[in-house]
Amino acid sequence: MNLILLGPPGAGKGTQAQRLQQDRGLVQLSTGDMLRDAVSAGTEIGKQADAVMKAGKLVSDEIVVGIVAERITQPDCAKGFILDGFPRNVAQAEALDVILAPKGIALDAVVEMVVDDTQLVDRVTGRYTCAKCGTGYHDRNKKPKQDGVCDVCGSTQFKRRADDRAETFPARLAEYHAQTAPLLPYYRAKGVLKQVDGMAEIDEVARQIDKVLGLSRTA
Ligand code: AMP
């Protein structure tokens, strides 16, 4: 199954993509993670992306489409993938069609996580991840069971994203509405758009996603 998760920053795309990866064996393809890795590694792409990301703007289509085109054709993606953070505009969606069509790969669904914009800044500024395994946490909504210790791998090192700041958030939300929201009619017209309530509890959102995808709960 090949999916896109759509929604503004803080909608919970990464959380649900991780869950689908664990439960269903799909591969999470997060362009944000790939770009952050490039920034940490100091590659040429990372150098170009760094300031743009910190400003909450979108990295060039050329860069992200190139990254996705390379990653999506790797063998592990044959079992199914979840695009998280891509496409971010109609040009990227069209480029994705051009990448997938000749390979005979279809998108099964595009899931919009419908959220209340006014709640997002709190979600974004409170979130952090395990530095070792990447499991996501939140200062208030999803704390580790034992304070300061990752539930999954036991690491005591955590990190926060450089762009998850109250000052940067308005620019990121504005980019979503200007650039990414036009993807909703794009995918609705293709008959693949589904919607879930992204404001519900994490497990409930997961249940709704499984339901719209026609997946049983006992995978
Ligand atoms: P994310 O982790 O998806 O919130 O992405 C973090 C940042 O990476 C975004 O604010 C953009 O600067 C950049 N980025 C991630 N994915 C894309 C994309 N598909 N197109 C352009 N920029 C992207």
Side-chain angles (χ1 to χ4, degrees), residues 9-10 13 30-33 35-36 49 52-61 64-65 68 84-89 92 127 161 163-164 172 175:
K13 301 184 296 295
S30 158
T31 42
D33 284 348
L35 290 166
R36 282 183 285 280
V52 181
M53 292 172 75
K54 283 199 179 108
K57 300 285 183 188
L58 294 186
V59 174
S60 77
D61 293 345
V64 286
V65 169
V68 170
D84 159 13
F86 181 92
R88 268 308 214 277
N89 58 32
Q92 292 181 12
R127 70 186 177 182
R161 285 170 43 171
D163 59 348
D164 274 350
R172 293 170 64 197
E175 286 287 64

Side-chain angles (χ1 to χ4, degrees), residues 107-110 184-194:
L107 286 172
D108 296 285
V110 177
L184 299 171
Y186 181 86
Y187 286 120
R188 188 174 289 117
K190 287 179 182 282
V192 287
L193 186 69
K194 318 271 180 199

Side-chain angles (χ1 to χ4, degrees), residues 9 52-57 121 124-125 162-174:
V52 181
M53 292 172 75
K54 283 199 179 108
K57 300 285 183 188
V121 70
V124 163
T125 53
D163 59 348
D164 274 350
R165 294 161 12 155
E167 308 87 90
T168 317
F169 185 75
R172 293 170 64 197
L173 191 59

Side-chain angles (χ1 to χ4, degrees), residues 142-153:
K142 193 188 167 212
K143 296 179 184 177
K145 291 191 184 83
Q146 189 185 337
D147 209 19
V149 182
C150 176
D151 296 346
V152 176
C153 74

